[in-house]
Amino acid sequence: MYVSPSETRIDPCQPPDMTTTNDSLPHETQDDTDATLPLTAEKCLAILTEWAARYPSARFVVITIAPDGSDAAVLGWGLALPEYVFVNLPEMRMTGRFRTADELRRLLRHSDDDIRLIWVDPEPEPWPDEET
């Protein structure tokens, strides 16, 4: 789901870098007199739970395989969201955030090793770029 900058809202119970659209859950409640009520911890939890269900994350492991396939080693792990991919590769002394898993793959291709991603969860679909 694409969120244009004009549709983006900042919410006090929303973590940084998380975007919502006008079709998301209501962020404010109103009483009998239509006065706006403050958000509660329970309401924020409900909003974030709904967001997590709509935009699930996906875990992956980064491995290197010997050229003859006789050996392999785990280099680290990553977490992919529709918006970003986070990676922690302690064996390579690298951490980073990428727009997509393909960007990470392109970077890792420059290594002399055969490095691959193994998805634990289904890979999330990236959000379309603004230019498309």
Side-chain angles (χ1 to χ4, degrees):
M1 175 179 187
Y2 170 68
V3 180
S4 75
S6 63
E7 295 174 326
T8 302
R9 290 190 315 226
I10 303 300
D11 189 290
C13 73
Q14 187 174 322
D17 291 341
M18 186 182 293
T19 55
T20 59
T21 63
N22 294 331
D23 67 346
S24 64
L25 292 176
H27 289 315
E28 299 172 340
T29 55
Q30 304 203 329
D31 65 10
D32 300 350
T33 64
D34 286 337
T36 302
L37 300 174
L39 289 171
T40 63
E42 291 77 20
K43 183 65 177 173
C44 283
L45 181 60
I47 292 167
L48 295 175
T49 300
E50 177 69 18
W51 181 88
R54 287 183 185 178
Y55 308 106
S57 59
R59 301 164 293 166
F60 60 90
V61 177
V62 182
I63 64 163
T64 182
I65 300 175
D68 64 1
S70 63
D71 195 18
V74 174
L75 299 176
W77 58 269
L79 180 67
L81 297 164
E83 202 169 24
Y84 298 105
V85 173
F86 301 92
V87 68
N88 180 31
L89 304 174
E91 295 298 319
M92 297 178 76
R93 297 176 189 231
M94 178 180 137
T95 59
R97 182 174 102 170
F98 298 86
R99 174 75 175 96
T100 65
D102 286 336
E103 282 186 6
L104 172 61
R105 286 185 190 107
R106 280 193 293 277
L107 174 71
L108 295 176
R109 255 187 260 156
H110 294 289
S111 168
D112 292 333
D113 301 322
D114 183 6
I115 298 175
R116 301 181 190 190
L117 306 184
I118 299 175
W119 292 94
V120 177
D121 306 305
E123 183 177 358
E125 301 254 343
W127 292 350
D129 290 330
E130 288 184 39
E131 295 83 34
T132 59

